[in-house]
Amino acid sequence: MIADHDNKFGNYFSFPDEQNIFLHNIRRCIGVNVRAVYKEKSCSFVDLGLNKLWAIANINALTFDERGDYFAWGSIANEVALWDTYPFGTEDHLTKYNTKPEYGTVDNKTELEDADEVAKALCGNGWHMPDTTDWQELVEKCEWVWVDTLAVPGYMVTSKVPGYEGARLYLPAVGFKEGIYINNGMTDFYYYTSHLDKNNPNKAISVYFSDITGLTIQSDFRYYGFDCRPVKAKPSTGEAQVSARVK
């Protein structure tokens, strides 16, 4: 911090590009934008009449129609998406979650531990990453409509389940992160599951969605950065719920 003995000045940061951060000293009467940084421990959700409750936004998105943070598989930090920064080794020398000796240390762990599962670690309270059956149910029991008038284009997903018609959530087309760049943003989205690709342990099982292919279950390199849309089990009868619907 810069000393201000007269209490007339404050500090703020500017980000002119992706490589530089500058610290400034400015009179306190001048206004600058402020963005909150927080560790989410609860999520607003929507009940679509499915087996799980769905969070209305991606992790660390400030609104339902924004991108959230991008996380490598097994990482809970929003980092540059490269093997060099991946927490569990490299493409052919893995240090955790590996089933084959030619890829590094074998531990035969094929599902993320709670501390490495981003929704469990950052949201808590029963939230977790969706698995492939959760995504398939979302496709089969909801209507998907492309929307290009919000902050990030994407899909408005509206329930077709009797008694839940009109309940909906929004999935922005967030693409994926490699290095510092976002690929296929504004057109497609990618989400990891918590499961390793056992046959190719430098990859993890994921889902991909585009208007051309629909939902595709595949595997992707673990260092890629994907958004996360948490889900959780429905509460038992009588347990309090606080839900929100996308308007």
Side-chain angles (χ1 to χ4, degrees):
M1 296 290 289
I2 297 174
D4 175 21
H5 299 296
D6 296 326
N7 202 30
K8 296 178 180 179
F9 292 84
N11 298 327
Y12 77 98
F13 294 97
S14 67
F15 304 83
D17 53 49
E18 294 174 324
Q19 303 297 326
N20 297 291
I21 301 174
F22 295 124
L23 174 65
H24 305 267
N25 191 227
I26 193 171
R27 288 189 178 276
R28 295 174 59 185
C29 62
I30 298 175
V32 297
N33 289 329
V34 175
R35 178 158 183 162
V37 178
Y38 59 94
K39 184 175 182 179
E40 183 62 63
K41 278 297 181 184
S42 63
C43 298
S44 295
F45 62 82
V46 61
D47 187 350
L48 299 166
L50 308 179
N51 287 322
K52 301 282 180 66
L53 302 173
W54 285 76
I56 66 168
N58 292 334
I59 291 180
N60 285 340
L62 297 183
T63 62
F64 73 91
D65 57 345
E66 282 191 357
R67 296 181 177 90
D69 286 342
Y70 292 81
F71 303 93
W73 188 79
S75 174
I76 62 171
N78 178 25
E79 299 175 320
V80 175
L82 296 169
W83 279 120
D84 289 346
T85 59
Y86 185 65
F88 302 126
T90 60
E91 182 175 7
D92 57 2
H93 189 71
L94 300 169
T95 59
K96 192 174 183 180
Y97 304 109
N98 183 28
T99 56
K100 294 189 174 183
E102 59 266 35
Y103 286 93
T105 304
V106 173
D107 56 14
N108 289 315
K109 294 180 179 181
T110 59
E111 186 170 1
L112 289 173
E113 296 176 347
D114 289 359
D116 302 328
E117 207 269 45
V118 62
K120 291 180 178 180
L122 297 189
C123 298
N125 298 322
W127 292 101
H128 60 88
M129 300 163 68
D131 60 27
T132 56
T133 58
D134 295 323
W135 286 107
Q136 289 171 326
E137 185 184 37
L138 193 68
V139 169
E140 293 168 1
K141 296 184 179 180
C142 296
E143 179 184 18
W144 293 53
V145 176
W146 179 256
V147 176
D148 60 6
T149 56
L150 297 174
V152 177
Y155 293 91
M156 191 66 72
V157 181
T158 304
S159 177
K160 298 186 292 186
V161 176
Y164 293 87
E165 299 92 338
R168 57 185 180 173
L169 60 81
Y170 186 69
L171 293 170
V174 295
F176 71 97
K177 186 177 182 181
E178 185 173 16
I180 60 173
Y181 300 103
I182 306 302
N183 299 308
N184 296 351
M186 315 296 280
T187 58
D188 308 334
F189 67 69
Y190 304 74
Y191 290 93
Y192 286 121
T193 72
S194 61
H195 299 284
L196 184 75
D197 182 342
K198 299 177 185 179
N199 296 320
N200 300 284
N202 56 7
K203 296 182 177 182
I205 304 300
S206 61
V207 296
Y208 162 72
F209 195 96
S210 75
D211 60 345
I212 298 174
T213 64
L215 184 72
T216 301
I217 298 171
Q218 58 187 30
S219 63
D220 285 288
F221 285 118
R222 290 160 52 171
Y223 77 90
Y224 288 158
F226 290 177
D227 270 60
C228 179
R229 178 62 62 95
V231 296
K232 70 183 300 185
K234 289 187 175 181
S236 58
T237 303
E239 185 176 340
Q241 298 187 48
V242 179
S243 64
R245 291 189 179 186
V246 176
K247 297 181 178 179

